[in-house]
Amino acid sequence: MMARMQRLWPAAVAVAALCSLGANASPHGGEHHDDDAPAIAQFCVDGWDAHGPRFCVAANMYHNHSTSAHDMLVTVEVSRPANETLASGGWLAVGSGAVMSGSLMFLVYGDPIAKKGPFVSARGVQIGQGHQQPDVLSQDDATKNHGVLVQQLGAGEWTTDKDGIHLGVAKFACYGCTKWQGHPFDAEENSQPMIWAFNEDEDMAPYAWDQPLRKHVGINGWGNFYANLQAAETHHNDGPPAIRQDKERINTSSSHISVKKPSFFQKLRARPAAYIHGFVMMVAFLALFPLGVIAIRSGREKSFKYHWVVQAGAMGCATVGAALGIYMSRSNIFGSAHQKIGLAVFTLLFAQAASGWWHHVQFVKIRRRTWVSYGHMSLGWGILLGGWANVITGAMLFGLGRAGLFVLLVLIVTELMALATIVYIARRKRAQDLAKAKAMATDWRDEENEEHFALDDVDSDEDEDASGRKSDEKLRPAKYHK
């Protein structure tokens, strides 16, 4: 096994050098960086000429890894005419699905004359119920809504232009929106069917969350559209998107949307920072750091050199990954467990490097290990386990499917078992070699000179460098040389 591993060191060192050079890479991911491109699905209707509604709805989808679901962040802009009677009544609803049956609906209503609202309420329709009165969702208990919770973000606002037309803006979040049991919102859907409905004159006072509704009327009282929610997915929780006044439709259509599945390179160009972050972190924690452990246990004359070169390369990869992670997190670097664990592991890497250097300096002087040596070993295993755990949480945050997560977990468990086996074999072989050496040199008094650098038990240290072993052999009496 050790002989086969020896042939891997040149490749490992080359990869390590690549990551070290990558430490100067731009966190913006090159000229194709598109992380700042707005993720939005916007649909506007102007039906006043046909006695219909005038409104705009803009939304994006944010993957909430704490709930393993997507949140929908929504801004609704609704216009009311200058006529006071028509301005004070009515409601607008936007929901999932092509029909009311199974729809998750968001209602917006208020009175611009009395400066009430706009307010947001959530309703749901069970599959098969059709045009029955929709059920009012719980305002504060997601367990009663199949894991969905709709909350208005801030107070609604009414403004009036010079022509007396009233414009209301309401923002809200649909937490766990993809968990709805009827016709849910699908963050991976390129053509999500949606429905809207409106009533122009119903008195909604006192504007309660559970205010009863009358049926929408007329051919212009409802309609459908389709949204490309995949294009509206965002990895930054920056709140509901603002309505774009220069465009009526963004990633939406009044008919089914046909979208060609993007290639790998198109995905890479769309999110270069995320792909590079994941790649360098996987190289560091799934390849280089484990190879560094194997290197120091290999028993080769240059095992220490291989160890620090590979570990330095892994540190370079981790530095690039951490820089990209902080850049993508922007001002919310502690927003998730993945970010917190990642920052903790990256900080501990510097303590690990410092303890490794201090161990080496002290071992050269006193030829035995100290508490720093044991701390270096323990911290190293802790960092590996933390890094592996964060690779999994990062893959979940990235949106890797269940099959991919299972393969990744199997790979990590296999790697852990392999590392433990290699360390055990190396320690056992070294103990056997040391026992044999003691039997052959029973009167060699300074037996500590037989112990060489390694992160192993006190009686099974390995080579830090070939020079230490050779210098010890020169000090032996000639009769003990073979």
Side-chain angles (χ1 to χ4, degrees):
M1 179 182 292
M2 293 301 175
R4 285 195 295 269
M5 293 305 303
Q6 291 172 5
R7 294 194 290 268
L8 294 177
W9 299 132
V13 172
V15 174
L18 250 171
C19 280
S20 296
L21 290 174
N24 294 322
S26 168
H28 298 275
E31 62 180 355
H32 297 300
H33 170 67
D34 291 322
D35 276 0
D36 291 327
I40 183 174
Q42 176 173 306
F43 185 80
C44 297
V45 171
D46 185 357
W48 275 6
D49 291 341
H51 302 285
R54 176 187 289 181
F55 71 92
C56 282
V57 56
N60 58 29
M61 305 294 292
Y62 171 71
H63 182 256
N64 189 333
H65 46 275
S66 63
T67 61
S68 300
H70 279 78
D71 301 335
M72 176 178 270
L73 307 175
V74 186
T75 299
V76 176
E77 188 178 271
V78 58
S79 297
R80 296 284 180 84
N83 183 299
E84 291 190 6
T85 302
L86 294 177
S88 299
W91 49 262
L92 171 74
V94 178
S96 63
V99 295
M100 280 189 63
S101 175
S103 180
L104 171 61
M105 304 191 315
F106 314 116
L107 270 72
V108 179
Y109 45 82
D111 185 351
I113 306 301
K115 298 299 181 184
K116 300 289 186 179
F119 300 102
V120 175
S121 176
R123 312 292 168 99
V125 182
Q126 298 298 320
I127 292 180
Q129 288 189 355
H131 287 277
Q132 296 183 22
Q133 181 76 231
D135 299 323
V136 179
L137 300 191
S138 174
Q139 196 171 1
D140 51 20
D141 189 354
T143 61
K144 297 179 180 179
N145 309 327
H146 308 294
V148 177
L149 188 64
V150 178
Q151 293 184 340
Q152 186 165 353
L153 304 177
E157 181 181 5
W158 290 104
T159 57
T160 305
D161 66 13
K162 61 181 180 179
D163 297 322
I165 296 175
H166 308 285
L167 183 68
V169 177
K171 299 182 178 182
F172 63 92
C174 176
Y175 299 109
C177 225
T178 51
K179 290 185 175 182
W180 180 248
Q181 296 298 305
H183 294 299
F185 293 97
D186 186 351
E188 299 300 320
E189 179 60 65
N190 294 321
S191 188
Q192 167 75 48
M194 299 186 69
I195 189 171
W196 62 262
F198 113 111
N199 179 297
E200 66 177 346
D201 57 10
E202 181 176 353
D203 184 4
M204 297 299 290
Y207 311 104
W209 172 269
D210 57 353
Q211 187 71 26
L213 300 178
R214 292 205 312 267
K215 184 180 176 181
H216 57 83
V217 294
I219 192 171
N220 297 315
W222 69 279
N224 293 106
F225 66 99
Y226 296 82
N228 185 348
L229 296 185
Q230 187 178 68
E233 186 177 10
T234 178
H235 296 270
H236 307 296
N237 187 4
D238 297 328
I243 300 292
R244 295 278 298 271
Q245 302 298 333
D246 57 329
K247 294 184 178 180
E248 289 189 353
R249 298 179 183 180
I250 304 173
N251 294 317
T252 60
S253 174
S254 57
S255 58
H256 182 80
I257 302 173
S258 298
V259 178
K260 183 180 179 181
K261 187 176 181 180
S263 67
F264 169 77
F265 293 103
Q266 288 174 320
K267 294 180 180 179
L268 179 61
R269 290 183 61 183
R271 298 175 60 196
Y275 276 89
I276 296 173
H277 168 80
F279 174 75
V280 296
M281 284 305 196
M282 291 181 70
V283 168
F285 287 99
L286 297 183
L288 295 182
F289 280 127
L291 280 175
V293 175
I294 297 173
I296 201 64
R297 304 286 185 175
S298 66
R300 290 173 58 88
E301 291 184 352
K302 296 183 178 181
S303 59
F304 173 66
K305 179 180 179 181
Y306 287 140
H307 174 72
W308 77 259
V309 169
V310 173
Q311 299 297 77
M315 186 73 174
C317 283
T319 301
V320 174
L324 289 170
I326 292 172
Y327 164 73
M328 290 188 293
S329 300
R330 290 177 170 83
S331 59
N332 189 26
I333 61 174
F334 298 105
S336 67
H338 176 74
Q339 292 164 295
K340 294 173 183 176
I341 295 173
L343 288 171
V345 168
F346 181 64
T347 302
L348 289 175
L349 284 176
F350 292 94
Q352 176 72 348
S355 64
W357 173 82
W358 183 251
H359 161 77
H360 171 67
V361 170
Q362 293 300 309
F363 189 86
V364 170
K365 291 180 180 179
I366 63 177
R367 306 299 295 171
R368 62 181 177 84
R369 292 180 301 172
T370 65
W371 66 270
V372 176
S373 309
Y374 295 101
H376 181 71
M377 288 186 289
S378 301
L379 186 58
W381 281 106
I383 288 173
L384 261 183
L385 293 174
W388 287 338
N390 225 31
V391 166
I392 294 176
T393 61
M396 294 173 62
L397 183 61
F398 185 78
L400 189 65
R402 292 184 179 180
L405 288 173
F406 177 76
V407 171
L408 185 59
L409 181 60
V410 170
L411 174 63
I412 290 174
V413 172
T414 303
E415 190 166 3
L416 175 60
M417 296 174 63
L419 272 182
T421 302
I422 290 171
V423 170
Y424 171 77
I425 292 174
R427 291 174 62 177
R428 184 177 179 181
K429 182 179 183 301
R430 182 57 189 166
Q432 293 172 348
D433 291 345
L434 187 60
K436 185 184 296 185
K438 287 181 178 179
M440 295 175 61
T442 56
D443 60 345
W444 176 246
R445 296 180 179 179
D446 192 7
E447 290 184 356
E448 285 188 357
N449 288 331
E450 289 287 344
E451 298 178 358
H452 306 292
F453 177 88
L455 297 177
D456 209 338
D457 290 339
V458 175
D459 60 349
S460 60
D461 286 332
E462 298 178 14
D463 286 337
E464 179 168 308
D465 195 284
S467 59
R469 179 184 297 170
K470 292 179 180 179
S471 62
D472 285 345
E473 291 176 349
K474 291 179 182 179
L475 295 174
R476 290 187 183 182
K479 65 178 181 179
Y480 293 113
H481 288 270
K482 288 290 185 180

